[in-house]
Amino acid sequence: MPFYQRLGDVPRKRHVQFRENGTLLTEEVMGLEGFSGLESILYHLTSPCRIKEVGDFEPIERKEWVPDTHQHRHFVTGPVDAGGDEITGRRLLMWNDDVEISLARPSDRMDYFFRNGEGDEVIFVHEGAGTLETTFGDLPYAQGDYVVVPRGTTYRFVPEGPQRHLVFETPGLITIPKRYRNEHGQLMEHAPYYHRDIHPPTELHTHRDRGEFEIKVRVRGGYQTYVVDYHPFDVVGWDGYVYPWTFSIHDFEPITGRIHMPPPSHQTFQGPNFVICSFCPRKLDFDPQAIPIPYHHSNLQSEEMIYYVDGNFSSRKGIEVGSITLHPSGLPHGPQPGLAEKSIGMTETHELAVMCDTFRPLRLTRFAKDLDDGKYAYSWYEASSDGRTPDEDPAGVTSHF
């Protein structure tokens, strides 16, 4: 994160004695890239190394679907049943060595704490609200928020109402694009959001409970369970640059140009070999000769996943809220027949979507197979077998993206 935060009580200097009622507190340096990256320093009532019991290890099993054909795909996720909690309910859709993309519709409450020990997380809240309780304090979230959780953060969801999450997990680091930041880390004037749009934890609650508390840690390709005899949110204070935070997609300021702006103008976050972009309601291109929708382009070195969040999808027949399209590498994609002509004269769009472009191929799961409509690849076909155009064919699909 490009700015410093502090909650609770911390001593005047690092690595000096800090006591509560005469008892020496435990200092924990939580840092990235060894001792050369960003870090935060937390002060605990109890050693964070203290465990009462080492429980079971549960390896992650990915059930891969290797399609017989290479083609564009449309996954219909709206009807997916709710199940599990915010962690156990994550259902993997696609992945590679850089990122995993999952869907979650939790129905259960977390009765344990979770820590991702091998990756950063971005959780897009499509539906629902609540509080992410963490070692850094309470982090309220609402519909439309990206919840960014750095690795090593112990947390628990306390949801309010039905939830639907799109989850990105990466063994790399989630960062704000470098071109938005100056050499000191401050967001610059041309960036599509500012520090005021980024919300860190609001309140630190120091728990002094004793008992048995379960912590599930993702590490080494699986989940390791531990039992501790103290509440893991025993921090009395912390400061630094590593902490969870939220950013609302509704606070992204879209960039409009005289002619069509390419997808990098919508970039919100970046990870190793992938980016996350926000397509928000915006004014369209204003040159009199402009075609205000994307030109055809070939994904020669990347794969494009788009998750449709909200808005009027009349420009894309067959697409609904919760739909996911995947345009794999090696194939061109763009507007369906007739849409470019139709778009001339349009001045604005009200669609809302989250896009992830990866620069290495994505693998699919059997869960994704069950959601694939099987016909999206034909949506550019000028005339179906009965002579109807895609605009006349209920299965036809058109797109602004």
Side-chain angles (χ1 to χ4, degrees):
M1 279 305 302
F3 62 95
Y4 169 87
Q5 287 289 305
R6 170 177 168 172
L7 276 181
D9 298 323
V10 298
R12 64 178 184 84
K13 295 279 289 183
R14 297 174 293 178
H15 321 323
V16 299
Q17 295 181 35
F18 186 38
R19 297 178 182 271
E20 183 184 78
N21 298 324
T23 300
L24 185 66
L25 300 178
T26 300
E27 180 186 53
E28 177 193 10
V29 176
M30 180 175 162
L32 304 172
E33 299 174 342
F35 291 91
S36 61
L38 298 178
E39 69 176 32
S40 286
I41 301 178
L42 303 90
Y43 294 88
H44 297 265
L45 296 170
T46 304
S47 166
C49 304
R50 177 185 172 112
I51 58 172
K52 180 179 180 180
E53 179 184 339
V54 177
D56 296 331
F57 180 84
E58 177 189 352
I60 294 173
E61 296 182 8
R62 300 181 180 92
K63 297 179 180 179
E64 185 174 5
W65 169 43
V66 181
D68 295 330
T69 58
H70 187 74
Q71 63 187 69
H72 299 311
R73 300 193 180 275
H74 170 210
F75 306 105
V76 182
T77 75
V80 170
D81 293 334
D85 57 40
E86 287 80 4
I87 306 302
T88 63
R90 293 177 182 177
R91 304 186 68 181
L92 184 63
L93 288 160
M94 54 195 80
W95 86 99
N96 60 23
D97 289 341
D98 304 311
V99 64
E100 297 178 3
I101 304 172
S102 304
L103 181 73
R105 291 199 61 207
S107 58
D108 303 334
R109 298 292 288 262
M110 292 179 65
D111 58 0
Y112 60 93
F113 301 89
F114 178 73
R115 180 191 310 145
N116 195 326
E118 62 181 6
D120 287 6
E121 301 179 350
V122 176
I123 302 147
F124 176 74
V125 182
H126 186 179
E127 296 176 8
T131 300
L132 188 74
E133 297 180 339
T134 82
T135 46
F136 296 92
D138 287 354
L139 184 67
Y141 66 88
Q143 184 172 333
D145 278 350
Y146 292 102
V147 183
V148 182
V149 185
R151 72 198 60 220
T153 301
T154 303
Y155 67 81
R156 178 172 63 184
F157 276 92
V158 181
E160 297 173 8
Q163 309 276 310
R164 185 187 292 263
H165 300 165
L166 180 69
V167 184
F168 302 91
E169 299 175 73
T170 175
L173 298 178
I174 292 292
T175 62
I176 292 173
K178 188 175 181 179
R179 68 180 184 278
Y180 296 163
R181 298 177 275 127
N182 63 23
E183 61 180 314
H184 307 288
Q186 184 176 13
L187 291 168
M188 293 188 282
E189 288 295 309
H190 68 274
Y193 50 91
Y194 190 58
H195 299 278
R196 297 173 195 173
D197 300 316
I198 293 171
H199 306 286
T202 56
E203 223 176 336
L204 181 66
H205 298 284
T206 303
H207 290 261
R208 303 170 189 276
D209 317 24
R210 289 290 178 174
E212 289 195 349
F213 301 89
E214 183 178 301
I215 304 174
K216 182 180 291 189
V217 181
R218 175 167 175 173
V219 66
R220 301 289 178 93
Y223 298 101
Q224 175 65 58
T225 298
Y226 302 92
V227 177
V228 300
D229 63 353
Y230 62 94
H231 197 294
F233 300 160
D234 68 338
V235 173
V236 302
W238 66 272
D239 71 339
Y241 291 78
V242 176
Y243 48 84
W245 49 280
T246 64
F247 168 72
S248 174
I249 194 171
H250 304 298
D251 285 332
F252 187 88
E253 302 301 334
I255 299 169
T256 299
R258 189 164 60 89
I259 57 175
H260 183 71
M261 302 295 291
S265 67
H266 306 284
Q267 186 177 350
T268 311
F269 308 110
Q270 68 183 38
N273 299 310
F274 73 94
V275 299
I276 298 174
C277 300
S278 303
F279 289 100
C280 300
R282 62 195 182 277
K283 293 292 184 181
L284 294 174
D285 321 323
F286 53 87
D287 187 280
Q289 295 296 309
I291 300 175
I293 58 171
Y295 34 81
H296 283 69
H297 49 287
S298 293
N299 287 6
L300 297 178
Q301 291 180 300
S302 64
E303 312 233 328
E304 177 192 275
M305 185 283 299
I306 299 180
Y307 178 83
Y308 298 87
V309 177
D310 197 8
N312 179 7
F313 301 130
S314 59
S315 63
R316 182 182 274 272
K317 294 180 181 177
I319 294 298
E320 58 192 48
V321 170
S323 285
I324 292 176
T325 55
L326 176 64
H327 301 140
S329 55
L331 300 177
H333 68 274
Q336 279 75 15
L339 183 59
E341 188 71 46
K342 263 186 172 182
S343 72
I344 294 173
M346 292 177 61
T347 60
E348 58 186 26
T349 177
H350 298 283
E351 295 164 333
L352 192 69
V354 174
M355 183 179 81
C356 180
D357 268 5
T358 68
F359 301 109
R360 289 199 277 194
L362 287 162
R363 301 161 70 178
L364 301 174
T365 63
R366 294 181 197 172
F367 174 55
K369 178 183 180 181
D370 294 338
L371 306 178
D372 184 26
D373 76 354
K375 58 190 178 183
Y376 176 63
Y378 298 103
S379 62
W380 286 268
Y381 191 52
E382 288 275 6
S384 60
S385 59
D386 60 4
R388 292 187 295 179
T389 67
D391 285 340
E392 299 167 327
D393 184 351
V397 180
T398 53
S399 172
H400 271 313
F401 299 102

